[in-house]
Amino acid sequence: MNELTKQMQQIMHPRAVLVAYECETTDYSTPRSYLELRPVNEKGRMGAGIPVTYEFMNSLVESYTESMSGIPHGRIPGNMLLCDSRKGRERYIWYNPPQKRKMYFQDGLHITDGTFNVPGVIYVVERECMDIHAFKGAIPEERTELYLAPFFNVTGADVCLGNSSLKKPQDMDFHEFQEYWEKRFWMSEFSHLGGDRNPTRSNLVSVTEHARNNPFDYSELQQSGKKLKDILT
């Protein structure tokens, strides 16, 4: 019997029930609410209810949000340019210097999977969406010019994550957070020109193939009209 079968055959026993009451008011104001916790005995019968305290609810919510929110924690990496972890305003920006990347392509592009030289890349992650920009040099500064990312599956700066099905880890530190999002981009199959617009001066297929065995040709980059400082605000 494997571990999955064991888990499926396990029987869950109720131990407590959280009951919510609501009382409508005569003046049509906000209804009053009341929560109580009722223990459940071995025979499945509920015992007497006890009021739920603020401390109990705060502990319950805090425990859930910390484990399920996906907000990263820990030491901030040196390549992180912006980190806003406020609830509902989460936004993270970081960069990679020029390097070689493994890339995957659908058959229709007629590009064989392999390792390619790519320019410096800036990632923007906000509300489970990703933007990506290219830059020249090794380390971007506020006045650094941004360029259209010379990759398939990108419209302007907006990334189509396509068939990426990478499972998001829980309780991530910043390194794991960056690694997760970078994998979602680089491990997706590149399949199409975003918005049917070529992001490079020459044909993107040719530019990509040339970068397989040669340094990336920076003369192929097209300006986006933005500088780094524009996306940091």
Side-chain angles (χ1 to χ4, degrees):
M1 182 183 296
N2 60 35
E3 188 62 28
L4 178 59
T5 303
K6 291 180 181 179
Q7 293 179 8
M8 292 177 64
Q9 292 182 349
Q10 290 178 344
I11 299 176
M12 304 294 290
H13 300 280
R15 288 292 176 256
V17 175
L18 189 64
V19 184
Y21 297 91
E22 183 178 272
C23 176
E24 295 185 359
T25 57
T26 56
D27 58 358
Y28 300 102
S29 60
T30 303
R32 290 181 296 171
S33 300
Y34 171 75
L35 287 174
E36 71 175 15
L37 191 67
R38 289 178 173 265
V40 178
N41 64 24
E42 294 181 356
K43 295 182 180 180
R45 296 178 180 177
M46 291 191 296
I50 57 175
V52 172
T53 64
Y54 286 112
E55 290 79 6
F56 174 84
M57 289 304 299
N58 287 339
S59 176
L60 184 65
V61 172
E62 181 180 358
S63 175
Y64 175 80
T65 55
E66 284 183 354
S67 61
M68 300 300 291
S69 66
I71 296 176
H73 60 83
R75 290 187 61 181
I76 298 178
N79 65 335
M80 184 72 79
L81 300 170
L82 183 145
C83 174
D84 188 344
S85 58
R86 290 175 295 175
K87 189 66 176 176
R89 301 184 183 182
E90 294 90 349
R91 189 164 181 256
Y92 307 92
I93 301 177
W94 70 96
Y95 74 93
N96 285 159
Q99 59 185 277
K100 292 185 176 182
R101 282 284 189 176
K102 180 74 175 179
M103 297 170 70
Y104 306 87
F105 302 89
Q106 287 192 358
D107 294 339
L109 292 178
H110 305 292
I111 303 176
T112 304
D113 299 345
T115 302
F116 301 81
N117 291 292
V118 299
V121 170
I122 293 174
Y123 307 89
V124 182
V125 171
E126 183 175 9
R127 298 175 184 171
E128 294 300 309
C129 296
M130 171 184 273
D131 285 357
I132 190 169
H133 307 265
F135 70 94
K136 296 180 179 179
I139 301 176
E141 300 177 352
E142 285 198 358
R143 297 183 63 83
T144 297
E145 297 278 354
L146 300 184
Y147 297 84
L148 299 179
F151 309 115
F152 293 94
N153 297 10
V154 182
T155 303
D158 182 36
V159 174
C160 172
L161 293 170
N163 59 0
S164 173
S165 58
L166 189 65
K167 184 177 180 181
K168 188 175 185 178
Q170 296 181 8
D171 196 27
M172 298 179 289
D173 62 24
F174 282 104
H175 174 75
E176 292 169 324
F177 177 84
Q178 291 179 338
E179 184 178 57
Y180 164 74
W181 279 101
E182 290 177 25
K183 283 183 176 180
R184 287 198 67 183
F185 179 72
W186 296 106
M187 293 181 68
S188 293
E189 280 191 321
F190 291 103
S191 60
H192 63 281
L193 282 174
D196 295 323
R197 177 188 177 187
N198 204 62
T200 50
R201 299 187 185 280
S202 303
N203 182 279
L204 183 55
V205 172
S206 301
V207 173
T208 303
E209 282 288 10
H210 182 267
R212 186 190 298 271
N213 298 313
N214 301 280
F216 184 84
D217 185 357
Y218 283 92
S219 67
E220 290 289 350
L221 294 180
Q222 296 198 59
Q223 288 185 329
S224 67
K226 294 182 178 180
K227 296 182 178 180
L228 177 58
K229 65 180 182 179
D230 297 323
I231 66 172
L232 291 177
T233 56

